[in-house]
Amino acid sequence: MHKQYLAIFLLAAANGLLFSLLHLPLPWTLGPLVMAILWKTVLKKPVFWPKKIRNMGMVVLGYMMGSPFTPSVASQVLQQLPIMLTMTLTLITICLVTGYISGRYTGVGLSNSLIGSIPGGLSQMSVICEEIKGTNISVVTLMQTVRVITVVFMVPLLALHGLADHATPAARVVKPLEMHQLQLLVLIAIILIVLIKIAKRIHLSNIYILIPVLGTAALVLTGLDAPALPAPVISLAQIVVGIKMGSDVDFGSLGNWKTIALVNLLTVLSVIFFILGAAYTFSHIFPMSFVTAFISMAPGGMSEMALTAMSANADLPTVVAYQLFRLLFILLVCVPVTRWLIHRQQLKHA
């Protein structure tokens, strides 16, 4: 069994590297995901990947999402809370309506069409899918993957070559961690593990997503300087999450997967153009540029949208604040409400 873990990990890492060299979006998540699917469907070999390893990766990614929540970003969130709520509700409504329509065309069912269209993270939605009865993780992952790939390609293209006045390449300065930063990371890790254990005892949902994000954000708000993680650590976390996502997917059971992918591609493209119109309207009502409003509303990952904002000379703190607010709103409000709606619908059918 351990040899099988090592084999799939090495193949997944190699595919992640290939995706990275080809400059494909989210290479260290989508590369392993694709490799795990190929391992199952082409080689006809089972993929065993423990949830515990995936959960450790989720904690690392949650730390990354919570670490930008500095006091200045928190202050901005409070000042612009009504605008953020309006923009977030607009985006989620557009996504759910178009998801419902695509669900009617593809016949994947209400549960899958709603969860698959929620603009949360690819890995977060796959974990949430496990907790909602009546959902098919293969369908949800396919829908979310189509959304992520389309957004990661289209939003930077439109922002950098259509909306930005003076786009400049973003530069990332990577510095080796110093000893006090390593000690700080160990301390934060211990705190997050304790919080996760407490949350587990009181039976909270989505703890491996929610607790690292909120816990890290709370620590940063107290004045703690959360060190940036080395790139290999971030890549490793994405690999172990991507493998688990791929191992849970069984496209062989989806006879109409091509139809689902095509309809959702058209759906996501329509969402992006709806957002363009909404962002243009918001930029004339509220004090923000068109490109900042567009990237802030874009249903992509926070790190990818932040990098796009840097390249397009958009207001980076605003983009980070809006993306983080949407993530927390989805986890704390949207997912529980959607779960309740699905449960209510299932009771009616029963």
Side-chain angles (χ1 to χ4, degrees), residues 86-128:
T86 303
M87 292 177 71
T88 298
L89 288 174
T90 301
L91 170 62
I92 291 174
T93 301
I94 292 170
C95 289
L96 289 177
V97 169
T98 54
Y100 174 79
I101 294 170
S102 71
R104 299 279 292 183
Y105 273 99
T106 57
V108 297
L110 181 67
S111 305
N112 295 314
S113 63
L114 292 184
I115 298 298
S117 61
I118 292 176
L122 178 62
S123 51
Q124 288 93 322
M125 291 303 105
S126 67
V127 174
I128 289 166

Side-chain angles (χ1 to χ4, degrees), residues 30-258:
L30 296 182
L33 184 151
V34 169
M35 177 52 67
I37 293 172
L38 292 175
W39 183 269
K40 288 176 64 175
T41 57
V42 178
L43 299 179
K44 305 295 183 184
K45 293 185 178 182
V47 178
F48 300 104
W49 196 251
K51 284 186 180 180
K52 288 184 178 179
I53 298 178
R54 188 274 311 273
N55 291 341
M56 288 189 286
M58 290 302 304
V59 171
V60 172
L61 298 181
Y63 168 83
M64 280 182 59
M65 295 174 198
S67 57
F69 206 82
T70 60
S72 62
V73 173
S75 174
Q76 194 165 355
V77 168
L78 292 175
Q79 291 172 9
Q80 301 189 28
L81 201 57
I83 312 173
M84 288 184 178
L85 185 59
T86 303
M87 292 177 71
T88 298
L89 288 174
T90 301
L91 170 62
I92 291 174
T93 301
I94 292 170
C95 289
L96 289 177
V97 169
T98 54
Y100 174 79
I101 294 170
S102 71
R104 299 279 292 183
Y105 273 99
T106 57
V108 297
L110 181 67
S111 305
N112 295 314
S113 63
L114 292 184
I115 298 298
S117 61
I118 292 176
L122 178 62
S123 51
Q124 288 93 322
M125 291 303 105
S126 67
V127 174
I128 289 166
C129 187
E130 296 175 0
E131 301 181 0
I132 300 179
K133 292 181 179 178
T135 54
N136 185 324
I137 195 167
S138 299
V139 173
V140 171
T141 301
L142 177 59
M143 292 178 68
Q144 290 287 344
T145 301
V146 170
R147 176 185 63 81
V148 168
I149 292 174
T150 307
V151 169
V152 170
F153 273 118
M154 287 295 296
V155 170
L157 181 67
L158 291 170
L160 298 176
H161 303 291
L163 307 182
D165 295 325
H166 303 288
T168 53
R172 282 185 175 178
V173 179
V174 181
K175 296 180 180 179
L177 289 172
E178 298 177 5
M179 183 56 68
H180 73 279
Q181 291 178 312
L182 286 171
Q183 293 170 342
L184 188 56
L185 279 174
V186 171
L187 175 62
I188 293 172
I190 292 172
I191 293 172
L192 292 180
I193 290 169
V194 170
L195 290 175
I196 287 170
K197 287 188 176 296
I198 293 171
K200 210 176 206 179
R201 282 187 173 274
I202 58 178
H203 305 291
L204 288 180
S205 299
N206 310 325
I207 58 173
Y208 293 103
I209 305 168
L210 205 56
I211 298 304
V213 174
L214 294 180
T216 304
L219 290 171
V220 172
L221 285 174
T222 62
L224 200 69
D225 185 19
L229 294 173
V233 174
I234 298 170
S235 300
L236 179 62
Q238 291 176 300
I239 289 169
V240 299
V241 171
I243 294 172
K244 180 59 180 171
M245 289 163 60
S247 69
D248 289 336
V249 171
D250 183 14
F251 291 148
S253 64
L254 301 176
N256 62 337
W257 71 269
K258 292 180 181 178

Side-chain angles (χ1 to χ4, degrees), residues 150 154 264-274:
T150 307
M154 287 295 296
N264 277 279
L265 172 62
L266 297 174
T267 299
V268 176
L269 288 174
S270 67
V271 167
I272 291 172
F273 286 106
F274 270 123

